[in-house]
Amino acid sequence: MAGQNEEKLHIKLHVYDEDIDVTVDRSDEMYYRRAAKLITDKYNLYAGTYKGRENDHKISLYVLIDIALRYEVEREKNDTVKSNDILRKLTAMIDDALESGDNPK
């Protein structure tokens, strides 16, 4: 049980104008800190553009959409299903060509 607690770390993240206490896996601390910085940077960008015209809630939604969009684009780029499908088709074509004797010598 003590080993599990050693893997957890209690940290304070500063996100925009709030301090947030979180308990994270020690190995994930860097990612949490980077995420807090990204959110803060994006919020500052949108607040600079929309503060006074939009409420804080809507500015937060702009930030969420921006970050979720980045996530979706990266997820699509890293989608190996499409690549694996193409590789399977190419492998089948090569196997067919080798079996039919169409290979050049």
Side-chain angles (χ1 to χ4, degrees):
M1 189 67 93
Q4 275 184 328
N5 288 338
E6 291 172 9
E7 296 299 316
K8 297 290 184 182
L9 184 65
H10 180 80
I11 62 174
K12 185 174 297 230
L13 297 174
H14 185 76
V15 180
Y16 184 58
D17 62 352
E18 295 280 333
D19 287 327
I20 300 170
D21 294 319
V22 293
T23 302
V24 302
D25 287 340
R26 188 174 295 279
S27 61
D28 291 339
E29 178 189 7
M30 164 183 62
Y31 300 117
Y32 277 88
R33 295 200 184 276
R34 286 182 189 169
K37 181 174 179 355
L38 174 64
I39 292 166
T40 300
D41 291 348
K42 285 294 173 186
Y43 196 97
N44 285 331
L45 178 73
Y46 282 99
T49 303
Y50 295 108
K51 198 74 164 175
R53 294 188 293 166
E54 300 289 354
N55 63 37
D56 289 342
H57 177 75
K58 190 170 265 188
I59 292 171
S60 296
L61 293 176
Y62 289 142
V63 172
L64 286 169
I65 290 170
D66 188 303
I67 293 171
L69 176 65
R70 288 171 171 229
Y71 170 80
E72 288 298 325
V73 168
E74 283 302 313
R75 189 170 80 159
E76 182 76 19
K77 285 181 187 175
N78 295 322
D79 184 6
T80 59
V81 172
K82 291 178 185 175
S83 300
N84 289 341
D85 188 42
I86 291 169
L87 288 173
R88 273 192 292 281
K89 288 177 183 174
L90 287 172
T91 301
M93 289 171 62
I94 291 168
D95 288 344
D96 289 346
L98 289 173
E99 287 175 10
S100 68
D102 291 344
N103 57 332
K105 291 185 182 182

